[in-house]
Amino acid sequence: MRRPTPTAARQDPAGPRRARSRATAWLGALLLLCASLVVAGGPAEAKAAAWQPKPSPMTTPWTSQVPVDNPLPEYPRPQLTRPDWLNLNGIWDFAVTGASAGQPAAFPEQIRVPFVAESALSGIQRRITQNDKLWYKRNFTVPANWDGRRVQLNFGASDWQTTVWVNGRQAGAAHSGGFDSFAYDITPLLTTGGNTVVVSVFDPSQTGGQAVGKQRINDVTPHPGGGIFYTAASGIWQTVWLEPTASAHITRLDMVPSLSDNTLKVTVRGAGIAGQTARVTVSSGGTTVATATGPVNSQFSVAIPNPRLWTPEDPFLYDIRADLLSGTGGTTVDSVGSYTGMRSISVGKVGGVQRPLLNGKFVFQTGTLDQGYWPDGIYTAPSDEALRYDLQKHKDLGFNMVRKHIKVEPQRWFYWADRLGLLVWQDMPSMDTRTPDSAARVQWEAEYDRIIDQHRSSPSLVMWVNQNEGWGQYDQARIANEVKAYDPSRLVNNMSGVNCCGSVDGGNGDVIDNHIYVGPGTTTPTATRAAVLGEFGGLGWKVPGHEWYPGGGFSYEDQASVAALNNRFVGLIDTIRENQMPSGLSASVYTEITDVENEANGLLTYDRQVVKVDAARVRAANLALVDASRNPPPPVTLPTGQNKSLRVTTPGHTGKYLRHQEGLAFTAPVDANSDSLLKNDATWKIVPGLAGSGCYSFESRNYPGQYLRHRDFRVYKEAGDGSALFRADATFCALPANGGVRLAAYNMPGGYLRHINSEVWMATRGGPRAWDNAASFTEDTTWSVDNPWAG
């Protein structure tokens, strides 16, 4: 992959988007000063007053709170902050022309930046196609106290090909890329007094070859269909701002924690450098922890004594100050604020199983698929509070991880993940599902490089996900190797969903990733890769009054009620804890945190107005899963070669035993006075599993060669036919349970041997069938292994 080199003409900023950086007195004061310096400079007040947003198809709690002239006022780059800046968000003049047209003579409309033209919050809410070009225009005045400094014009992100003019002259080369930030030094283009900036954006969405994620050119108002693809997001969609710098200035901080020697490896990158050195100071609560000096654009170490480690439970952040020092006398010529977290992420063997390790220890990563879409802003959250909300809900629901799905969020989003304590899997947005041509590949890899550069210092980000389900796939192994070489401090997933949709596994990377709906299914680790479940779930529940297109929603498995949704979800998480994790699964990603347009399988509605699930139950299930990964119960061992009887443990039925009768499995009362036939029917010889010696099979006492097996969910006593299917159906894995054991199906993940109304079935907690109902599920699937009724 090509590695671009920062230049003075084009700043390459990095780190989470929009904001007050760290919650300390020094940095808090700095960012209050930042907010105070956001000044007006847009269109005339009368024009702004005439502008109105369009009606949103669904309103979030923040839709009506977005300021007209100063939306998203927070400083947009928390890991590279400066005290002076000028926010250019607000009302811009706007026009749409043909894709090949030049600058229009008139800009007849107004748009609220940074909301995309398809969104209601932009005030445009119009379908944009590959035949269109978007044009933006506004006036600004450079603050007088910036005199003598260079002026940088920064864009958080603009989708897709962006060209900028200041006072009629083009500012550098056009930028191609929809998910990375970019900047221009516009100092030579400025005039005294008022200035004018014009921006054009061409976005072909899925008709082009670039990274688009799930964007598709569709109607912008609710409509049926759409499936798993959503409304396109064209044009400027993140904050635009001006910032003064010295001629020699810092452009990026690369910070990599090293727990092996308790140091922070820092590279201070700069532009206009001519003999300057860098000084990095690490502090906590206003007290200096460590400081070190080193060369610009080269890595050096800062020793952190007794570091307090960053974890989801304790997401501790150190404050960082980086100074650029002149070569003579060490005068400070530039300073930036930042933050970091001390943590490591790796893979290693735990109990002989390859696992991801956070700070050297295995902790199960339980998260959701997060698409990052909003009904009012499409790609752009209506406010910083809204941006934080989705991440906070992950924490409230007990998740410790989030997979950002084929979209890259503003840098402010990463700040909240860092501060709240969520492990982030970051997808590289995919190209269209077709095989990309050579030009598309070059563009995609170059943008991926820049995305890595801009987010490589975020402590929450622990894994890069290169490709998804084979969409636009090519060179999987090469790309995984190059991403790992470019950022060895993180895990790499060469393909999420290697079992799905024609995808091709590159065979390398740190994890092997399956998608299984509803799941959780079985993902098996290898000698070198940990097993993860990159997608599962998709349980659907439509909330009247909170549907994007009423009646048009779909899911992977509709639920009959809220109670059914809760039971089914908790059942899936419990199954992972009891079965999949002990078998080698290390992480799972539930689809999904919110509904998205016509997808109705969110834990929250698309408008964020309703949390569908019982938050306390979901949180308890997730926390139990995480705790079990840290404190696994001892394995259950059954006495093979011995006859035993399986007794019911459900209160009120503890005198019943599992028995066969005319080839079917039932439970029936057995006692000393029972006849010998019943006692023989209720006695089973425990043997090593026919399909796997780590599990067990149960051979009939009075019909040797016949075994308990499930078929179409019902459990039978049948003779083996020599097939692999029979051997798997007749194999059960023993799991610990209070007062006995639970017997999980070898080839039916989530299925447990259960008695219900005296019949014996393979049941899934909260599943859609009558025998899956959650009432007394744990008790009904717990069996006591007792002395045999027949010796």
Side-chain angles (χ1 to χ4, degrees):
M1 300 174 79
R2 284 137 297 282
R3 310 297 175 196
T5 302
T7 66
R10 179 161 163 184
Q11 185 176 325
D12 191 15
R17 177 190 180 242
R18 244 181 293 141
R20 33 187 201 263
S21 186
R22 182 75 179 101
T24 66
W26 179 83
L27 201 48
L30 171 68
L31 292 171
L32 285 174
L33 177 60
C34 291
S36 71
L37 288 170
V38 177
V39 299
E45 290 185 8
K47 191 174 285 186
W51 176 91
Q52 292 291 328
K54 291 290 194 291
S56 178
M58 302 175 79
T59 57
T60 70
W62 308 275
T63 302
S64 63
Q65 299 176 14
V66 182
V68 172
D69 290 320
N70 191 26
L72 303 178
E74 297 79 15
Y75 187 83
R77 196 180 54 209
Q79 281 195 300
L80 194 75
T81 65
R82 289 190 174 92
D84 296 340
W85 69 296
L86 176 62
N87 195 335
L88 296 184
N89 290 347
I91 305 302
W92 291 48
D93 294 330
F94 183 72
V96 179
T97 67
S100 60
Q103 181 173 330
F107 289 71
E109 300 179 271
Q110 284 77 47
I111 187 170
R112 180 165 55 182
V113 171
F115 299 101
V116 295
E118 291 89 345
S119 72
L121 288 177
S122 73
I124 302 298
Q125 200 177 30
R126 189 156 70 241
R127 185 172 181 261
I128 304 299
T129 76
Q130 71 275 19
N131 301 314
D132 298 322
K133 183 181 287 184
L134 310 182
W135 293 86
Y136 303 76
K137 180 180 180 181
R138 70 162 290 161
N139 300 322
F140 65 91
T141 300
V142 176
N145 62 353
W146 292 9
D147 286 352
R149 290 185 280 178
R150 312 295 295 183
V151 177
Q152 313 294 330
L153 174 59
N154 299 284
F155 291 79
S158 177
D159 196 1
W160 172 68
Q161 189 173 73
T162 305
T163 308
V164 178
W165 295 264
V166 175
N167 297 323
R169 291 190 289 166
Q170 186 170 330
H175 176 81
S176 297
F179 298 94
D180 63 308
S181 62
F182 56 100
Y184 300 100
D185 185 333
I186 62 171
T187 311
L189 309 180
L190 297 173
T191 62
T192 302
N195 294 272
T196 301
V197 58
V198 172
V199 178
S200 74
V201 186
F202 169 65
D203 181 20
S205 293
Q206 80 275 15
T207 68
Q210 79 283 5
V212 293
K214 287 199 169 185
Q215 299 180 66
R216 294 297 183 268
I217 298 172
N218 289 322
D219 292 338
V220 299
T221 54
H223 53 271
I228 63 171
F229 298 99
Y230 321 124
T231 304
S234 302
I236 298 170
W237 69 278
Q238 292 185 29
T239 292
V240 184
W241 80 101
L242 294 172
E243 188 168 39
T245 68
S247 296
H249 60 277
I250 297 168
T251 58
R252 196 174 84 222
L253 294 180
D254 294 346
M255 298 177 287
V256 180
S258 174
L259 301 190
S260 62
D261 59 0
N262 290 341
T263 63
L264 182 68
K265 310 298 184 185
V266 182
T267 304
V268 179
R269 301 194 181 274
I273 302 303
Q276 289 83 7
T277 59
R279 180 177 61 212
V280 171
T281 303
V282 181
S283 62
S284 174
T287 299
T288 297
V289 172
T291 188
T293 302
V296 182
N297 294 325
S298 295
Q299 188 180 89
F300 60 93
S301 297
V302 185
I304 311 293
N306 302 312
R308 180 172 167 182
L309 301 186
W310 185 98
T311 68
E313 295 78 17
D314 182 24
F316 180 78
L317 299 174
Y318 288 95
D319 295 313
I320 301 292
R321 180 184 179 92
D323 299 314
L324 197 62
L325 308 177
S326 66
T328 58
T331 304
T332 300
V333 297
D334 189 30
S335 294
V336 295
S338 190
Y339 66 86
T340 193
M342 294 295 289
R343 66 103 184 97
S344 68
I345 187 73
S346 60
V347 290
K349 288 285 178 26
V350 177
V353 177
Q354 195 78 344
R355 302 282 195 184
L357 307 177
L358 178 66
N359 301 330
K361 298 178 181 178
F362 169 54
V363 55
F364 193 92
Q365 298 181 26
T366 174
T368 81
L369 203 68
D370 186 344
Q371 315 274 4
Y373 266 77
W374 298 83
D376 46 12
I378 310 295
Y379 245 31
T380 308
S383 72
D384 188 61
E385 181 186 354
L387 195 70
R388 172 179 173 154
Y389 177 84
D390 284 3
L391 295 174
Q392 183 63 59
K393 280 303 167 188
H394 280 83
K395 297 291 290 188
D396 295 345
L397 294 169
F399 295 103
N400 63 6
M401 177 263 284
V402 55
R403 178 184 171 197
K404 178 49 63 174
H405 193 35
I406 48 182
K407 177 195 178 188
V408 183
E409 290 285 4
Q411 296 179 39
R412 183 72 178 163
W413 184 90
F414 288 87
Y415 163 72
W416 284 122
D418 295 337
R419 183 174 175 183
L420 294 175
L422 280 166
L423 303 171
V424 173
W425 295 9
Q426 178 59 61
D427 290 15
M428 173 58 194
S430 62
M431 295 172 281
D432 187 53
T433 55
R434 64 186 181 272
T435 301
D437 61 24
S438 58
R441 298 179 187 195
V442 169
Q443 165 62 30
W444 185 83
E445 292 183 34
E447 188 171 357
Y448 197 177
D449 288 347
R450 298 194 299 264
I451 288 168
I452 293 172
D453 284 339
Q454 290 168 18
H455 301 290
R456 63 167 64 244
S457 295
S458 173
S460 62
L461 204 163
V462 295
M463 182 157 69
W464 297 110
V465 181
N466 296 348
Q467 299 182 21
N468 180 77
E469 292 184 351
W471 303 356
Q473 66 182 332
Y474 73 98
D475 289 0
Q476 295 88 331
R478 174 183 66 82
I479 292 168
N481 285 337
E482 292 186 1
V483 170
K484 188 69 173 183
Y486 197 44
D487 185 4
S489 70
R490 289 186 172 83
L491 306 185
V492 173
N493 184 339
N494 93 86
M495 177 70 70
S496 186
V498 295
N499 63 323
C500 174
C501 322
S503 62
V504 177
D505 182 4
N508 59 347
D510 296 299
V511 301
I512 183 166
D513 180 329
N514 284 349
H515 292 179
I516 304 173
Y517 288 100
V518 167
T522 300
T523 309
T524 304
T526 71
T528 58
R529 296 194 288 177
V532 303
L533 183 57
E535 294 180 27
F536 81 107
L539 308 179
W541 175 247
K542 303 171 190 174
V543 180
H546 299 274
E547 298 173 78
W548 188 70
Y549 183 82
F554 74 95
S555 73
Y556 290 93
E557 183 184 281
D558 288 343
Q559 304 302 300
S561 64
V562 170
L565 172 64
N566 283 306
N567 290 335
R568 185 71 162 118
F569 178 87
V570 170
L572 292 174
I573 299 299
D574 285 351
T575 295
I576 292 172
R577 172 173 54 84
E578 297 163 350
N579 199 337
Q580 274 67 30
M581 184 178 64
S583 299
L585 187 69
S586 293
S588 61
V589 179
Y590 178 80
T591 300
E592 56 197 319
I593 186 62
T594 72
D595 295 345
V596 186
E597 297 191 356
N598 280 326
E599 283 194 60
N601 45 34
L603 300 175
L604 283 66
T605 54
Y606 189 29
D607 57 10
R608 279 72 167 179
Q609 301 278 5
V610 179
V611 178
K612 300 182 191 179
V613 291
D614 183 329
R617 284 191 66 190
V618 169
R619 178 178 176 83
N622 274 320
L623 294 183
L625 172 58
V626 172
D627 183 65
S629 70
R630 292 194 175 102
N631 304 286
V636 175
T637 302
L638 300 183
T640 57
Q642 298 183 29
N643 289 333
K644 292 291 180 178
S645 293
L646 300 177
R647 181 173 59 83
V648 170
T649 65
T650 305
H653 302 273
T654 55
K656 291 183 175 181
Y657 291 80
L658 191 153
R659 58 85 55 95
H660 62 83
Q661 184 177 19
E662 297 179 353
L664 284 167
F666 292 93
T667 59
V670 185
D671 59 28
N673 298 318
S674 297
D675 59 46
S676 60
L677 176 62
L678 177 56
K679 290 179 179 178
N680 274 281
D681 288 350
T683 301
W684 306 88
K685 183 180 181 181
I686 302 175
V687 300
L690 300 180
S693 59
C695 297
Y696 303 91
S697 295
F698 297 86
E699 185 179 12
S700 170
R701 165 69 175 78
N702 51 352
Y703 288 88
Q706 297 193 27
Y707 299 86
L708 276 180
R709 66 87 56 102
H710 64 89
R711 175 162 49 84
D712 297 327
F713 302 101
R714 191 68 167 90
V715 179
Y716 301 82
K717 182 266 305 175
E718 291 184 350
D721 59 7
S723 69
L725 176 62
F726 179 88
R727 291 194 297 272
D729 288 349
T731 301
F732 303 86
C733 300
L735 302 175
N738 186 22
V741 299
R742 304 178 76 195
L743 298 172
Y746 179 84
N747 61 344
M748 181 184 162
Y752 295 90
L753 193 73
R754 181 188 192 178
H755 67 88
I756 186 167
N757 297 327
S758 297
E759 298 175 341
V760 180
W761 297 80
M762 293 311 301
T764 301
R765 185 196 299 269
R769 297 161 291 269
W771 52 87
D772 294 331
N773 75 75
S776 68
F777 186 90
T778 299
E779 297 87 344
D780 292 351
T781 56
T782 300
W783 304 85
S784 176
V785 181
D786 288 4
N787 292 328
W789 282 108

